[in-house]
Amino acid sequence: MTYVLSATQTSSRLGAVIRIPPGVILAFAIIALVIGWSIAPGLFTGFDPAVGVPAQKLLGPSLDHWFGTDHLGRDLYARVVHGTASSVSSAFIAVAIGLFAGGLIGLAAGFLGGWTDIVLARLVDILLAIPRFLLAVIIVTALGFHTLNAAVATGIWEVAVFARVMRAEVIKTRQATFVEAAFLAGGSRWHILLRHVLPNASRSVLPLAVLHFGLSILVIAGLAFLGYGDPPPASDWGLLIATGKNYLKWPWLVYAPALVTIATVLSVNRISRWLRKTD
Amino acid sequence: MAPQDRLIPAFSRAPSSPLQGYQTARPPLLDVADLCVAYGRREVVSNAGFRLERGRSLALIGESGSGKSTIARAILRLLPAEARASGHVAFEGQEVLSLPERRFRPLRGRAIGFVPQDPGHALNPVRTIGAQALEAAARLDSGVHDKAARKAHVLDIFAQVGLDQPQRVFDSYPHQLSGGMLQRVLIGLAVLPRPALLVADEPTSALDVTIQKRILDLLSRLREDLDIALLLITHDLAIAAERADRLVVLKDGRIQEEGRTAAVFAAPASAYARKLQGDVPALNPDRYRPLKDRAARQRAETAAGHDKIIVSGMTKRFLVDGRSLTAVDDVSFKVAAGTTHALVGESGSGKTTTIRLLLGLEQADEGEITIAGHRLRAGDRTSMRAVWRQLQLVYQNPFTSLDPSWTVERLVREPLDRFGIGERAERDERVRAALASVRLSEDLLSRRPGALSGGQRQRVAIARALVLKPDVIVLDEPTSALDVSVQAEIVEVLLSLQAELGLTYLFVSHDLALVRQLAETVSVMRHGRIIEDGRVAEIFDQPREAYTRTLLASIPSGASRNALLTPLETEPGRAAARVEVLA
Amino acid sequence: MRHAYLSFAGKRLAQAAVVILLAYVFTFIVVSILPGDPVTNVLRNPQNGFSEEEIQSIIAAQGLDRPVLVQLWSSLSSFLTGDLGLSLRSSRPVTTMIAEVLPSTLTLATSALTVALTLAVLIAYGTQFLPKRWGQGLLRGFPSLFLSVPSFVIGLVLIHVFGFKLGLFRVIEPDSAWATFFAAVALGIPVSARIAEVLIANLDQEARQEYAAVARSRGLGQAALFFRHLVKPSLLPVVTVVALSFGELLGDSLITEAVFGRNGVGSLVQRSVATQDLPVLQAVVSLAAAVFVLVNLLADLVYPLLDPRVTLIGPARQSPTKAVETAAPGAAA
């Protein structure tokens, strides 16, 4: 066993900042760009995503049109940029639903145990038994085809995932020696739950949330691809790819939005892996 | 793994380390010189050099991070891929560090055997022991190609290393055997090809004390019978002194001292070896005498004669697989105020359950417990809170007993906050006082446990127990996860606190040498019962029970076996080997 | 031991049955409670052109006029007898409709699983045998890359490259051998990434175990160590991962069938979604859940037979401190 001691807390934090691998820095840069696109798309492109110039239809990528133009002569880059907000924020909503509802269910099941645990665990089992994509499809069917509903539908499966992980983490933490030590120090159940169990159990849930943010982008893109999101002229990434597949002769219509999706998800996954490692 | 850039012809080597003055006609069995091992830019072993002659034994001694295991693995060329080794390691005159893996492999396992530290993880968990033994046997070029003959050979070796039912062991999976039995299997597999050298990396540190002694006896016997040289890696100076001809003392990857055991032992030349020797409980039974006398004088002045802990007739049964198992059986003891009572026993003796009952973490089926005047009512939180104000626990492992997400300040203040003691300023004051009393600097207040060493963490845990100013502190093997020198610091802190504050300790341990240093009274536990109790001095001088004698005999005496053999050490060892297998 | 195994199997079987039933009830509740009434959405939708009499007869046949709980009870009892009801749209038995498209989907799913396992094993074991310098890093990057690519993009790229450019298959013949193969590749690649990720992590972990070093200390070479010691323990957890990835295979086949224009369960779902044909959706979801639960049940039942460490008698109650104390030596048998 070797104990590596850092001189002070600040220097060790500083050290951590310096040691970010270049791949992770690139991933953060890509995510920053994507966030920029979704907050202020107008800053990144001068073209209108909905209005095209018919004379300029199906042009290949060039300096004027970075990703080329589609069958109506609309600038594809502008469509990708303007579609970012709903593609990304819906994944964010899905993860938020999963994180909060699932986290709460997992916390209750893991900490209370007994019948609460049995009932909640069965509920989670049921959700996990239904294939994720199929569940999203029936829920979005029941709610109506809309990107926000797709987000909710994706989020419901995420609830099960986070509940299960949170429950396992809570049970693991609850058995930790330091929790018993807090009990002997006079800590009440609530004190132990909120101050000891929750912070330690959440540690591994954060990288998971990031990972599932990436997965949700993929699922929601899949729903949009099948036409279960906002209808055109919306330009969700999945929808763009779905439109592009009818024009495979002009492959940039598929490849450009696909590469943006892949780069985003890849960056998110890289960050998640890094978070897991630094923890 | 080996540095490819320094291929040195095997026999044209320059004379090795300056530590070695003499030359022999035959090259020594193992000759290590200028050995350096580095992980990236961090050098963990620097210029290590020593020699081991045929049939002799040498111990590498050091604490965590001293590089002793790294040296062992460098010799066997089993270092992880990211480690870089340079220098010379010659085996029977042949340079092996630079040898291609393909040519080194025949040496490994045939001429050099390895006995690992933790037998529980040293065999493939999903294959039977027989399958792994046959695999090892098949690698011997003994001319035996018959599977039945190989198996007979394996069973024969198993019997030789003291396994009573070789066939049953052969058919078992590793998790079905005890640690002691697994270590016998591993030793058997290591000596199967009759190697010239056996490298044993802390072969007993994961085992109970009585089993520890039997395994060391087995190694000594095999060494004599089969004429195998032994390279013993250990943190325990007493074991090394007892079992090795020569010692090499390491610290931070550098050799501090090297020489004949008797010489190093009688007069350590380096400051570090002297300190190490002074810190080993087995070698210094009276080290804390002055502190203990001070505590006794204070006791006499305050005349606090009453008992702080009274346990009578305590029994606890667990239901395991539908059968009732008595973990604690009619246990009674008393601890006088300001004294230390030790609870001694091996794993499964019931000592852990005893303290859990004492702390109200489990409910006793029968019996009464009174702590500092409070009758214990486990399960009733309000009454237990009153008890915990007077009764605190220091856990065995400081790496798990402190919440990793809290700072030292919050950790130490938590009991004050929870019991609602004093105003904010007063609490801050008490936190600082508690830290000062365990000799921790205030700079550490904002650190988290991850940024502390093991010894610092355990002192934080003690400060946390102290901050409530309880009468009684239960110490559950508080130093067993720590190095010897750190252990000595912790013990010193505990004893001076006792002398100053008149604390009463219940000290749980398997280490009898440590118990002799710091306790007044002792109860020896076995199978949930107290088999013998009384004053420490009396029990150590005149043990009544055979089990207590075995425990006492397991304390390494520090005396080299070649020099003197006490009757206690040999005979019960052999006899007890059978007991372990039957148990 | 045998008795313990049987009682464990019985318990897990009962649990699985409960989960399947509850999954059916859950789907029923989702489709009937959530906003959106099938009668007004589907039957009274002028686009579908049902006459008032037809509407009345469908309502009567489906029992849509009865209270929800009664509907649930009757549909649950017919589900238990294997009757999945009638399609709202075409009034044909749902069982027949699923039976028509099931073979195509099964072919796709099994070939995709084969592709996934083959790829995963090649990638994971490749990392153990390729030298560090070249290839290994690339191979280790594969799983995380393929986990970031939507499966429909993989499908489109395959169609573009192998269909359009190389002309290996034509999109209008979705059931040809090549088309099926590439559909299986598109569906299998993300699954293979997940399996390979676990396999690589297991292999790395097993190689770091003390027993691997000790086996090498007995003179075992890299290859012998890998095949005799590391393969089995690294493969064991994969049984569970493969079982879990069945859900992904079933769900994602929906998209893959759409991309490759195959007529399977996925396209049946798509059509039913478009017409809000709830009985069909409900049947498909419940069947998928049943398949998933049964496959995982099988994995759970097989695992204890493969791994000698798993004991089916539940661990005795262990407190944290007790665990520390008993961790090292273990009990003698």
Side-chain angles (χ1 to χ4, degrees):
Chain A
M1 243 179 281
T2 320
Y3 313 124
V4 183
L5 298 187
S6 47
T8 66
Q9 183 99 33
T10 39
S11 86
S12 75
R13 264 191 209 137
L14 214 77
V17 171
I18 296 164
R19 264 184 272 114
I20 300 180
V24 176
I25 294 175
L26 182 67
F28 271 114
I30 290 173
I31 295 305
L33 182 67
V34 168
I35 291 174
W37 283 358
S38 47
I39 292 173
L43 286 182
F44 293 89
T45 174
F47 289 100
D48 188 309
V51 183
V53 183
Q56 296 184 354
K57 70 174 184 180
L58 298 170
L59 293 177
S62 65
L63 277 181
D64 285 341
H65 301 286
W66 292 357
F67 293 174
T69 61
D70 68 1
H71 59 293
L72 297 176
R74 295 176 294 197
D75 179 60
L76 190 59
Y77 172 67
R79 288 183 58 73
V80 168
V81 169
H82 281 271
T84 305
S86 80
S87 303
V88 171
S89 66
S90 51
F92 186 79
I93 292 169
V95 172
I97 292 173
L99 189 59
F100 284 106
L104 221 61
I105 291 175
L107 198 62
F111 197 72
L112 298 175
W115 274 105
T116 324
D117 185 28
I118 293 172
V119 169
L120 290 176
R122 279 300 146 265
L123 207 71
V124 166
D125 276 355
I126 295 163
L127 281 177
L128 289 175
I130 302 172
R132 165 198 189 98
F133 202 75
L134 214 50
L135 181 74
V137 167
I138 58 158
I139 291 177
V140 89
T141 310
L143 292 176
F145 300 154
H146 191 284
T147 300
L148 193 65
N149 292 343
V152 172
T154 313
I156 286 176
W157 202 80
E158 296 291 333
V159 170
V161 172
F162 283 98
R164 200 172 58 163
V165 173
M166 192 67 167
R167 174 178 176 272
E169 285 296 317
V170 166
I171 289 175
K172 199 176 89 191
T173 314
R174 212 180 63 164
Q175 290 168 345
T177 310
F178 64 80
V179 166
E180 191 181 277
F183 186 64
L184 291 178
S188 64
R189 275 170 81 85
W190 277 107
H191 168 79
I192 286 170
L193 176 66
L194 295 178
R195 301 289 172 193
H196 291 284
V197 175
L198 187 60
N200 284 290
S202 325
R203 277 167 158 226
S204 59
V205 174
L206 177 69
L208 187 78
V210 176
L211 184 76
H212 275 254
F213 176 61
L215 278 177
S216 297
I217 292 179
L218 293 181
V219 171
I220 289 168
L223 289 171
F225 178 81
L226 293 181
Y228 300 151
D230 287 340
S235 56
D236 286 58
W237 295 344
L239 187 63
L240 287 177
I241 298 171
T243 322
K245 82 168 196 292
N246 302 325
Y247 302 90
L248 270 185
K249 250 188 179 165
W250 300 274
W252 58 87
L253 290 178
V254 167
Y255 286 119
L259 284 178
V260 170
T261 312
I262 294 169
T264 310
V265 178
L266 206 54
S267 307
V268 169
N269 290 351
R270 184 71 191 86
I271 292 170
S272 165
R273 258 212 327 279
W274 175 70
L275 282 175
R276 229 177 325 168
K277 220 177 250 173
T278 50
D279 186 41
Chain B
M1 212 165 294
Q4 300 302 324
D5 51 332
R6 22 189 340 179
L7 260 170
I8 297 157
F11 294 100
S12 64
R13 209 158 34 75
S16 57
S17 136
L19 284 167
Q20 317 289 332
Y22 53 89
Q23 290 284 334
T24 45
R26 272 170 91 192
L29 180 69
L30 181 71
D31 189 348
V32 176
D34 303 324
L35 179 67
C36 299
V37 181
Y39 289 87
R41 258 177 295 171
R42 193 165 56 89
E43 198 167 70
V44 291
V45 172
S46 314
N47 299 320
F50 54 85
R51 284 180 181 189
L52 175 58
E53 302 293 337
R54 281 175 186 74
R56 310 311 294 266
S57 57
L58 179 124
L60 294 181
I61 307 165
E63 301 184 277
S64 335
S66 63
K68 55 189 192 303
S69 293
T70 310
I71 293 178
R73 294 198 175 227
I75 292 168
L76 287 154
R77 301 212 352 203
L78 289 176
L79 289 168
E82 58 273 21
R84 285 274 162 270
S86 62
H88 310 284
V89 175
F91 183 75
E92 292 188 317
Q94 187 184 18
E95 176 67 37
V96 293
L97 208 54
S98 54
L99 221 55
E101 174 74 16
R102 173 172 53 78
R103 286 184 46 208
F104 179 69
R105 208 185 303 142
L107 283 178
R108 194 161 52 203
R110 235 167 284 179
I112 311 177
F114 178 55
V115 179
Q117 177 169 16
D118 182 357
H121 292 110
L123 286 162
N124 192 327
V126 300
R127 300 179 67 201
T128 60
I129 288 176
Q132 300 181 58
L134 284 181
E135 174 188 281
R139 294 204 51 79
L140 307 178
D141 38 11
S142 54
V144 183
H145 298 297
D146 176 17
K147 202 171 173 187
R150 273 186 205 148
K151 184 175 169 183
H153 187 193
V154 166
L155 292 180
D156 184 44
I157 280 283
F158 281 0
Q160 272 189 46
V161 293
L163 290 162
D164 252 14
Q165 298 166 297
Q167 183 62 48
R168 189 173 74 82
V169 169
F170 191 88
D171 293 332
S172 298
Y173 284 101
H175 69 273
Q176 294 165 328
L177 300 182
S178 73
M181 291 167 86
L182 286 176
Q183 196 60 298
R184 283 174 196 272
V185 168
L186 286 158
I187 292 173
L189 293 186
V191 300
L192 193 67
R194 296 276 182 121
L197 170 66
L198 199 58
V199 179
D201 185 3
E202 301 257 14
T204 59
S205 64
L207 305 173
D208 265 336
V209 277
T210 51
I211 298 169
Q212 180 173 338
K213 179 175 152 53
R214 287 178 219 152
I215 294 290
L216 289 170
D217 286 346
L218 172 66
L219 283 174
S220 304
R221 178 165 64 82
L222 288 171
R223 190 164 79 75
E224 283 157 27
D225 293 355
L226 306 177
D227 195 29
I228 299 174
L230 177 69
L231 180 64
L232 178 70
I233 285 90
T234 181
H235 67 277
D236 192 331
L237 194 63
I239 286 182
E242 196 179 88
R243 308 281 169 172
D245 303 327
R246 296 180 73 84
L247 301 183
V248 172
V249 182
L250 284 156
K251 181 176 190 270
D252 300 330
R254 290 176 188 280
I255 292 186
Q256 305 294 313
E257 188 160 353
E258 198 267 357
R260 289 191 53 81
T261 301
V264 174
F265 213 61
S270 65
Y272 179 70
R274 266 199 301 281
K275 176 172 160 37
L276 206 58
Q277 196 202 25
D279 288 342
V280 176
L283 307 177
N284 306 278
D286 291 325
R287 167 163 177 176
Y288 302 108
R289 180 60 50 203
L291 267 173
K292 293 197 62 87
D293 288 346
R294 224 176 89 204
R297 274 199 302 280
Q298 210 223 5
R299 272 203 305 277
E301 280 164 27
T302 50
H306 62 278
D307 293 326
K308 283 286 180 192
I309 305 176
I310 306 170
V311 174
S312 62
M314 185 169 73
T315 297
K316 174 73 183 174
R317 283 176 285 268
F318 289 112
L319 215 59
V320 181
D321 301 333
R323 281 180 308 158
S324 175
L325 194 109
T326 310
V328 173
D329 191 358
D330 193 23
V331 162
S332 308
F333 59 89
K334 288 178 182 173
V335 186
T339 67
T340 303
H341 181 75
L343 223 47
V344 176
E346 298 182 277
S347 327
S349 62
K351 56 191 199 305
T352 300
T353 311
T354 302
I355 60 170
R356 292 184 65 79
L357 289 164
L358 209 64
L359 286 155
L361 295 169
E362 305 275 0
Q363 236 165 326
D365 296 319
E366 288 160 37
E368 271 180 24
I369 305 168
T370 310
I371 307 261
H374 296 273
R375 266 285 298 282
L376 209 73
R377 278 184 295 155
D380 174 3
R381 226 184 100 76
T382 335
S383 93
M384 280 317 298
R385 271 175 71 93
V387 173
W388 290 332
R389 278 224 47 186
Q390 302 303 335
L391 172 70
Q392 281 292 311
L393 170 69
V394 175
Y395 284 92
Q396 173 177 23
N397 190 343
F399 293 87
T400 57
S401 66
L402 301 174
D403 189 331
S405 63
W406 283 39
T407 60
V408 168
E409 185 186 10
R410 272 181 86 195
L411 282 167
V412 178
R413 212 180 51 209
E414 187 181 26
L416 295 176
D417 291 342
R418 293 301 114 205
F419 283 101
I421 293 165
E423 294 302 309
R424 207 191 147 73
E426 192 193 333
R427 287 181 198 172
D428 285 347
E429 192 41 53
R430 279 176 78 159
V431 169
R432 272 159 224 277
L435 276 187
S437 66
V438 295
R439 297 174 209 165
L440 278 182
S441 133
E442 284 186 15
D443 303 343
L444 304 181
L445 277 174
S446 60
R447 289 226 198 141
R448 282 172 222 285
L452 301 178
S453 71
Q456 286 174 323
R457 287 185 210 211
Q458 196 58 302
R459 281 191 269 178
V460 170
I462 295 171
R464 206 173 124 90
L466 276 179
V467 77
L468 284 173
K469 299 187 179 158
D471 288 348
V472 184
I473 296 185
V474 178
L475 304 158
D476 181 6
E477 308 233 17
T479 59
S480 66
L482 307 171
D483 275 329
V484 197
S485 59
V486 182
Q487 164 173 305
E489 289 167 26
I490 297 284
V491 168
E492 206 159 323
V493 164
L494 287 171
L495 285 177
S496 32
L497 285 170
Q498 186 172 44
E500 282 161 33
L501 308 171
L503 294 169
T504 308
Y505 291 146
L506 179 63
F507 182 75
V508 179
S509 182
H510 66 272
D511 185 347
L512 279 155
L514 192 58
V515 165
R516 180 166 52 183
Q517 276 185 321
L518 59 76
E520 273 82 25
T521 51
V522 60
S523 299
V524 180
M525 287 191 78
R526 193 182 196 201
H527 303 323
R529 303 184 68 97
I530 292 184
I531 58 163
E532 181 159 9
D533 58 1
R535 298 196 59 79
V536 166
E538 288 159 18
I539 298 237
F540 274 73
D541 287 345
Q542 291 157 323
R544 289 190 305 274
E545 297 290 322
Y547 179 68
T548 314
R549 278 197 290 275
T550 314
L551 277 182
L552 287 173
S554 308
I555 305 178
S557 63
S560 177
R561 329 201 95 223
N562 304 343
L564 107 168
L565 281 168
T566 55
L568 256 183
E569 281 172 326
T570 44
E571 285 322 305
R574 290 271 171 106
R578 279 198 303 279
V579 176
E580 180 213 342
V581 179
L582 294 173
Chain C
M1 187 67 200
R2 180 175 216 95
H3 173 76
Y5 183 76
L6 287 180
S7 81
F8 160 79
K11 213 183 268 175
R12 289 289 292 110
L13 200 66
Q15 258 176 21
V18 169
V19 170
I20 292 172
L21 273 188
L22 289 178
Y24 184 84
V25 174
F26 174 82
T27 339
F28 183 91
I29 293 172
V30 168
V31 296
S32 57
I33 282 187
L34 288 175
D37 170 22
V39 177
T40 34
N41 280 357
V42 183
L43 301 181
R44 297 202 193 282
N45 189 334
Q47 275 180 359
N48 287 337
F50 285 112
S51 73
E52 190 57 31
E53 281 150 38
E54 281 174 319
I55 292 173
Q56 286 311 324
S57 75
I58 290 174
I59 287 178
Q62 298 275 351
L64 291 174
D65 49 351
R66 289 178 293 167
V68 174
L69 272 182
V70 178
Q71 285 184 43
L72 172 62
W73 179 247
S74 68
S75 89
L76 191 62
S77 44
S78 46
F79 172 68
L80 285 177
T81 58
D83 175 12
L84 296 173
L86 299 176
S87 158
L88 201 63
R89 182 81 173 79
S90 65
S91 296
R92 294 175 58 209
V94 174
T95 324
T96 324
M97 295 172 74
I98 291 179
E100 281 168 14
V101 290
L102 199 57
S104 158
T105 301
L106 280 184
T107 314
L108 178 63
T110 44
S111 356
L113 190 62
T114 315
V115 169
L117 280 173
T118 316
L119 262 179
V121 166
L122 285 180
I123 290 174
Y125 293 171
T127 60
Q128 301 295 308
F129 285 102
L130 273 185
K132 264 241 147 57
R133 288 282 160 74
W134 52 279
Q136 208 193 81
L138 201 68
L139 222 46
R140 277 170 186 269
F142 270 130
S144 62
L145 173 65
F146 283 131
L147 281 176
S148 308
V149 182
S151 64
F152 53 90
V153 168
I154 300 176
L156 289 174
V157 170
L158 291 175
I159 289 175
H160 181 229
V161 175
F162 294 97
F164 276 38
K165 298 271 178 194
L166 299 178
L168 274 181
F169 63 96
R170 301 205 305 166
V171 188
I172 48 168
E173 286 169 25
D175 291 323
S176 68
W178 276 117
T180 307
F181 171 72
F182 283 110
V185 170
L187 184 57
I189 278 181
V191 178
S192 82
R194 206 171 296 282
I195 299 174
E197 204 176 35
V198 174
L199 207 47
I200 290 175
N202 287 345
L203 276 173
D204 285 352
Q205 194 197 327
E206 295 297 331
R208 275 198 308 270
Q209 296 290 312
E210 179 77 354
Y211 75 77
V214 175
R216 286 181 60 204
S217 83
R218 289 198 293 267
L220 229 59
Q222 280 298 350
L225 177 73
F226 176 77
F227 285 110
R228 295 210 201 123
H229 284 273
L230 304 182
V231 168
K232 188 178 174 193
S234 71
L235 271 178
L236 285 175
V238 170
V239 173
T240 316
V241 179
V242 169
L244 286 173
S245 58
F246 255 78
E248 206 175 325
L249 280 174
L250 293 171
D252 283 3
S253 63
L254 205 76
I255 302 186
T256 308
E257 284 176 6
V259 171
F260 283 84
R262 294 172 65 87
N263 186 18
V265 178
S267 45
L268 175 66
V269 169
Q270 281 241 60
R271 283 195 302 276
S272 312
V273 163
T275 56
Q276 294 219 334
D277 198 341
L278 299 182
V280 177
L281 285 180
Q282 202 174 326
V284 171
V285 172
S286 320
L287 280 185
V291 169
F292 181 81
V293 169
L294 290 177
V295 167
N296 281 278
L297 172 68
L298 195 68
D300 280 4
L301 293 183
V302 166
Y303 197 90
L305 304 179
L306 298 177
D307 192 335
R309 282 167 298 183
V310 178
T311 45
L312 294 163
I313 307 144
R317 17 172 297 122
Q318 252 191 0
S319 58
T321 40
K322 210 169 169 182
V324 170
E325 187 184 279
T326 52

